[in-house]
Amino acid sequence: MTDKEKAPAYAAAMAAGMRDACIDAVLTVPCSWFQQWLADHVDVPGGWPTYYVTREEEGVGLASGLSLAGRRPLLAIQNSGLGNSINAILSLPVLYNLPFIVLMSMRGLDGEPNPGQVPMGEASRRLVEEILGAPTSLVHDLVSARTAFTIAAEAASLAGRPSFILMPDPGRLP
Amino acid sequence: MNRREALAAILAGAGEAAIVAMLGFVSRDVHDMADRPNHMYLLSSMGLAIPVAVGVALSHRGHTVAIEGDGSVLMNLGALATVARYAPPTFCAVILDNGVYETTGSQPTASRTADLAAVARGCGIARVVEVATADVLESAVGASRDDGGSPMVIVARVEPGGTPGPWILEPPPALAERFQGWLAARGVSSPDALTRADRSS
């Protein structure tokens, strides 16, 4: 697959995975890696109700409210927003046992052009797994780009807390 | 009016609304005064009562009331922009503005110089009401039940002070489960009805 073909292919796989997992709303402070996914599949007629929030922790609040109302929201953020959201995640969905999926782009790793992303990039996985105690799924190819959503949904439901899908740069995936 | 008088007015005006109460003295007082299944008490998460309530309102579609404080709202002013953009017309946020961080010892907040009503209007909220008495507050909250075409923000001037209710001892998951059960019994809108009413587009 050429680099130009990757973004649309991964976007389509993710959308299929969201349908498999019965996601019914998307909340986001978007990452540039989500551009094609949002424009072609999510925030389109026949896609999903899409809410652009002002801060990632606000998105945690909205997702918690939607979860309380029995919905299955997806919160899509960049990992730089994870740090902003630690207390929100621990004091809301973790404290009250509210499951939902967080799709998180993993900036600041190999090939990152912006040095400002690096410290959070290096800390992200530890924060999610060790501090938040959240189940994680890693997207590593086209198949996992789809299956990660049902895996994450089930893991969140079992754990009674958010489950994270970690999304590397699609341009660096096979 | 003092905090308890304001809360009594809000509860009277809200009736059977879904109510999300912010942490600290507000949740403790509401729980102490009138604990009901339609109440969701936040024990932490300062600044997030409005976002949680918006999330509930997007699905519940009935009257939903968030009770916030000035210090908490100042922590997350962007939430007012989100209310203006997405909240259904039967959504109401009441900001109890006493000018202090009361729960931590009454240190002054920026609401002494930041006009929260003006901020709400600037964020695009068409129905912004400023109140200073309990009877007007109760009427305003009641009026927010009606579909006035847009959500409402009420800024209520409150005198600081007053002994808070006792700590809420129910386990948080039990509080959430009870609230979820109350919402489920009322039926949530179908996924197709969870549409995005984006007033910014």
Side-chain angles (χ1 to χ4, degrees), chain A residues 49-50 52 58 71 91 96, chain B residues 41 45 59 82 86 189 194 196:
Chain A
T50 306
Y52 298 92
E58 185 191 13
R71 295 297 189 187
S91 68
Y96 291 92
Chain B
Y41 306 111
S45 320
S59 190
T82 300
Y86 295 128
S189 54
L194 191 68
R196 189 192 78 175

Side-chain angles (χ1 to χ4, degrees), chain A residues 117-142:
Chain A
Q117 296 278 12
V118 171
M120 195 63 211
E122 293 174 348
S124 293
R125 192 151 187 181
R126 268 186 298 126
L127 276 170
V128 170
E129 293 179 341
E130 296 175 25
I131 304 301
L132 298 178
T136 58
S137 311
L138 178 67
V139 173
H140 52 87
D141 58 18
L142 265 184

Side-chain angles (χ1 to χ4, degrees), chain B residues 26-40:
Chain B
V26 169
S27 261
R28 288 165 62 178
D29 278 349
V30 173
H31 182 268
D32 185 45
M33 292 161 66
D35 181 37
R36 298 189 192 119
N38 56 310
H39 298 172
M40 178 64 191

Side-chain angles (χ1 to χ4, degrees), chain B residues 150-167:
Chain B
S150 63
M152 182 187 286
V153 168
I154 301 170
V155 180
R157 297 278 173 218
V158 175
E159 291 298 315
T163 304
W167 292 98

Side-chain angles (χ1 to χ4, degrees), chain A residues 15-82:
Chain A
M18 289 164 68
R19 293 192 200 286
D20 295 341
C22 301
I23 298 299
D24 60 17
V26 173
L27 311 164
T28 187
V29 178
C31 173
S32 55
W33 295 354
F34 297 153
Q35 203 174 163
Q36 188 126 29
W37 169 71
L38 285 167
D40 291 353
H41 297 280
V42 176
D43 191 8
V44 294
W48 283 265
T50 306
Y51 305 94
Y52 298 92
V53 291
T54 60
R55 282 180 73 83
E56 291 84 356
E57 62 191 304
E58 185 191 13
V60 172
L62 260 87
S64 298
L66 284 165
S67 182
L68 280 166
R71 295 297 189 187
R72 298 170 67 89
L74 173 77
L75 175 63
I77 61 172
Q78 191 180 85
N79 59 343
S80 55
L82 172 66

